[in-house]
């Protein structure tokens, strides 16, 4: 059983609870039939105030594969949000219809407000530039299963480290494992926020370095986590255009990397990984998207307490 009722932040689960969730995901991967009815009669609500492909569809697929049903909106203008309804009232209403809710919202903290207004489990599917804990479950399961564990790794995170919520959640979560080093690769304007450096990396004595150049550090990495520049969080288009192609991973650059380094990306990608990289055995981002569905199946089962 999980102690947490909701998943709002990657730190809501203990290391043991995370490992139990990953073991359940592995079990589901090997025995999908055994789980195809465990959520019969249960309803998942997906409340997406921002666009999504992977998170929303993998949650919906996860619930359907567990035998449950799905309701929700993917466009806030098609709901009463467009008439000015608050998050608190929306979630109280949805709790009359559903057993568990997944919320993506442009405002940091919105899923937490929702969780404070219901006893139904609430899952943060991304809140502004803050956190994306289910992407982190996905990333951790991918690294654990492909690299054989979550300790003794040098992880490069590259791109928009300022607005990239997946990076913030990943750094927070990985700091709890042993002998983790981070290499933070970004333009000056898109560096990791200071609170991540001081409250997460320095506080936990995690070795890290910041650099602007990808090529000079590629050879040190066990995992390269690429991210896109988050156009929707920029205040002006000029800055976005200037920074959007800061890093493009291609075959030539991969020559600097270890043979067993893995390339991850939460997706969607724009230009930051050339399509020619997709055929390289180190490219694991579509496998990662698939793990996302299985870990969400495990998460839904655990939060609903189904057997
Ligand atoms: N990784 C991720 O959150 O993708 P979507 O925005 O498509 O959900």
């Amino acid at each position: 059983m999980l102690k947490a009722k909701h998943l709002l932040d990657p730190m809501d689960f203990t290391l043991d609870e995370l490992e139990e969730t990953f073991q359940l995901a592995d079990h589901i991967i090997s025995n999908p039939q055994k789980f195809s009815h465990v959520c019969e009669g249960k309803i998942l609500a997906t409340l997406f105030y921002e666009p999504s492909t992977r998170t929303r569809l993998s949650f919906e697929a996860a619930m359907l594969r567990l035998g449950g049903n799905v309701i929700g909106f993917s466009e806030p203008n098609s709901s009463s949000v467009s008439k000015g309804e608050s998050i608190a009232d929306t979630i109280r209403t949805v709790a009359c219809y559903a057993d568990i809710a997944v919320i993506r919202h442009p405002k940091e903290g919105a899923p937490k407000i929702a969780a404070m207004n219901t006893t139904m489990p609430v899952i943060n599917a991304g809140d502004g530039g803050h956190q994306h804990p289910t992407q982190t479950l996905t990333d951790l399961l991918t690294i654990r299963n492909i690299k054989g564990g979550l300790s003794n790794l040098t992880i490069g995170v590259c791109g928009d480290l300022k607005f990239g919520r997946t990076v913030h959640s990943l750094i927070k979560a990985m700091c709890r494992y042993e002998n983790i080093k981070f290499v933070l690769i970004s333009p000056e304007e898109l560096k990791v926020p200071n609170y991540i450096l001081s409250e997460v990396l320095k506080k936990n004595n995690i070795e890290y370095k910041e650099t602007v150049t990808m090529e000079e550090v590629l050879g040190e990495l066990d995992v390269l986590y690429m991210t896109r520049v988050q156009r929707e969080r920029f205040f002006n288009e000029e800055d976005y255009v200037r920074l959007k192609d800061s890093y493009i991973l291609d075959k030539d650059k991969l020559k600097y990397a270890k043979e067993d380094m893995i390339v991850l990306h939460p997706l969607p990608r724009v230009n930051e990984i050339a399509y020619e990289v997709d055929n390289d055995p180190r490219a694991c981002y579509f496998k990662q998207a698939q793990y996302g569905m299985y870990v969400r199946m495990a998460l839904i089962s655990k939060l609903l307490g189904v057997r």
Side-chain angles (χ1 to χ4, degrees):
M1 280 294 286
L2 293 172
K3 253 202 293 188
K5 183 164 179 55
H6 309 286
L7 178 59
L8 303 173
D9 184 287
M11 306 301 268
D12 285 345
F13 289 1
T14 64
L15 285 182
D16 285 345
E17 287 172 337
L18 282 178
E19 183 52 30
E20 279 170 27
T21 308
F22 299 145
Q23 285 178 14
L24 180 57
D26 284 342
H27 197 40
I28 293 170
I29 292 169
S30 335
N31 306 277
Q33 284 309 322
K34 265 176 76 175
F35 293 86
S36 59
H37 298 286
V38 294
C39 282
E40 247 167 28
K42 301 283 186 193
I43 294 179
L44 170 87
T46 51
L47 315 179
F48 276 64
Y49 295 75
E50 270 193 340
S52 167
T53 297
R54 275 144 295 275
T55 311
R56 184 171 68 82
L57 296 184
S58 65
F59 262 115
E60 294 187 358
M63 190 52 157
L64 295 173
R65 283 173 185 261
L66 292 168
N69 285 299
V70 178
I71 57 172
F73 54 81
S74 55
E75 160 54 63
N77 289 332
S78 68
S79 76
S80 285
V81 171
S82 62
K83 302 173 199 162
E85 187 166 57
S86 67
I87 289 267
D89 284 358
T90 301
I91 201 74
R92 288 172 74 174
T93 307
V94 170
C96 301
Y97 315 139
D99 301 285
I100 183 166
V102 181
I103 302 183
R104 171 170 288 188
H105 202 285
K107 287 212 175 108
E108 283 87 356
K112 188 168 184 181
I113 303 284
M116 287 160 62
N117 282 280
T118 180
T119 54
M120 166 179 69
V122 172
I123 299 170
N124 177 2
D127 59 330
H130 188 217
Q131 301 288 341
H132 192 347
T134 68
Q135 181 63 49
T136 304
L137 295 187
T138 302
D139 302 338
L140 264 53
L141 179 66
T142 309
I143 296 170
R144 171 188 175 273
N145 286 12
I146 299 177
K147 297 299 289 179
L150 287 162
S151 298
N152 307 313
L153 295 168
T154 300
I155 301 173
V157 284
C158 177
D160 183 350
L161 310 188
K162 178 179 180 184
F163 296 116
R165 59 194 174 197
T166 61
V167 168
H168 306 161
S169 290
L170 180 68
I171 293 175
K172 258 181 131 175
M174 286 302 302
C175 280
R176 294 198 287 181
Y177 294 92
E178 276 174 34
N179 192 24
I180 294 298
K181 294 178 192 149
F182 277 104
V183 181
L184 309 172
I185 310 158
S186 74
E188 280 296 321
E189 293 100 316
L190 298 178
K191 282 166 79 169
V192 165
N194 277 332
Y195 84 91
I196 296 281
L197 297 183
S198 59
E199 295 301 311
V200 184
L201 291 167
K202 288 181 186 159
K203 203 171 181 172
N204 290 292
N205 293 318
I206 303 295
E207 196 178 319
Y208 74 92
K209 66 178 172 188
E210 296 182 282
T211 178
V212 176
T213 319
M214 183 204 274
E215 289 87 328
E216 72 186 27
V217 294
L218 268 179
E220 301 168 26
L221 307 179
D222 301 304
V223 177
L224 172 62
Y225 194 91
M226 295 294 294
T227 62
R228 90 189 148 90
V229 175
Q230 307 266 309
R231 182 182 202 158
E232 63 275 31
R233 316 246 179 255
F234 272 71
F235 292 112
N236 73 68
E237 183 70 7
E238 254 175 49
D239 284 348
Y240 169 71
V241 170
R242 185 167 50 81
L243 293 167
K244 71 183 172 69
D245 291 330
S246 298
Y247 303 100
I248 299 177
L249 182 68
D250 57 18
K251 270 187 169 173
D252 277 347
K253 292 203 184 76
L254 265 183
K255 287 181 190 150
Y256 296 101
K258 292 181 193 168
E259 283 302 310
D260 65 347
M261 185 191 81
I262 58 170
V263 183
L264 301 183
H265 191 312
L267 303 177
R269 79 172 136 186
V270 185
N271 276 335
E272 56 281 353
I273 301 180
Y275 283 90
E276 66 186 17
V277 172
D278 295 0
N279 293 328
D280 190 292
R282 290 169 284 190
C284 296
Y285 27 91
F286 289 107
K287 184 76 188 157
Q288 182 184 2
Q290 191 184 27
Y291 275 130
M293 181 185 71
Y294 290 118
V295 86
R296 288 177 175 112
M297 288 174 79
L299 176 66
I300 293 168
S301 305
K302 285 208 154 274
L303 285 175
L304 286 178
V306 297
R307 282 169 186 272

